[in-house]
């Protein structure tokens, strides 16, 4: 997949808005205690694009239920992040709807998180992935899976 749009920061998304990152079985790992958790790989960038997200603000404007839209047999859970937190990590967020892609379903609510860097636009560090995961909250909860270390400590 190549960029349909040049990475940019969407001004219609305020710091208080949220975005959704879908979670599949691929994003679930076991910790050292044998408990399931969300992997930081959930925030890995693809090799030629950003981090794929869905934008609930657009869904709500179209009277589409975000919970129903982002939950599928493959994507059984999801997390949401505050746009302000993502920007504070040095990323850009923009709309990148998907239409007529032979490999993907149409998604008018799709967006991307991109690196705010011309030198390394597709690089995200392990620390940045951990930070994004710590700032995430469940949108659609995965049963018996914890989201981050602080959530795990509160369950014990």
């Amino acid at each position: 997949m190549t960029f349909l749009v040049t990475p940019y920061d969407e001004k219609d998304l305020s710091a208080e808005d949220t975005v959704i990152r879908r979670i599949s079985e691929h994003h679930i790992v076991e910790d050292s205690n044998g408990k399931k958790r969300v992997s930081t790989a959930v925030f890995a960038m693809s090799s030629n694009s950003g981090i794929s997200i869905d934008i609930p603000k657009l869904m709500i404007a179209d009277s589409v239920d975000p919970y129903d839209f982002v939950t599928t047999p493959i994507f059984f859970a999801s997390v949401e992040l505050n746009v302000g937190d993502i920007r504070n990590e040095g990323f850009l967020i923009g709309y990148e709807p998907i239409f007529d892609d032979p490999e993907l379903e149409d998604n008018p609510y799709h967006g991307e998180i991109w690196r705010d860097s011309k030198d390394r636009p597709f690089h995200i560090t392990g620390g940045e992935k951990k930070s994004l995961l710590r700032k995430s909250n469940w949108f659609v909860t995965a049963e018996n899976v914890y989201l981050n270390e602080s959530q795990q400590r509160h369950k014990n």
Side-chain angles (χ1 to χ4, degrees), residues 110-153:
H110 183 262
E112 295 276 345
I113 298 171
W114 300 286
R115 158 69 58 218
D116 188 8
S117 166
K118 299 200 183 351
D119 298 329
R120 297 170 63 170
F122 309 117
H123 179 76
I124 182 170
T125 67
E128 290 168 327
K129 291 177 197 174
K130 285 181 184 178
S131 182
L132 289 172
L133 189 57
R134 276 193 300 270
K135 292 174 180 176
S136 298
N137 294 302
W138 284 117
F139 187 71
V140 177
T141 306
E143 291 294 318
N144 300 314
V145 176
Y146 69 92
L147 186 55
N148 53 48
E149 294 88 10
S150 65
Q151 185 187 56
Q152 176 61 15
R153 283 193 294 272

Side-chain angles (χ1 to χ4, degrees), residues 1-3 44-51 121-123:
M1 178 182 218
T2 57
F3 286 130
M45 291 184 161
S46 68
S47 61
N48 63 349
S49 189
I51 300 168
F122 309 117
H123 179 76

Side-chain angles (χ1 to χ4, degrees), residues 1 4 96-102 104-110:
M1 178 182 218
L4 298 177
E96 189 172 8
I98 298 171
F99 295 107
D100 302 321
D101 186 310
L104 301 170
E105 284 188 42
D106 284 357
N107 182 349
Y109 313 112
H110 183 262

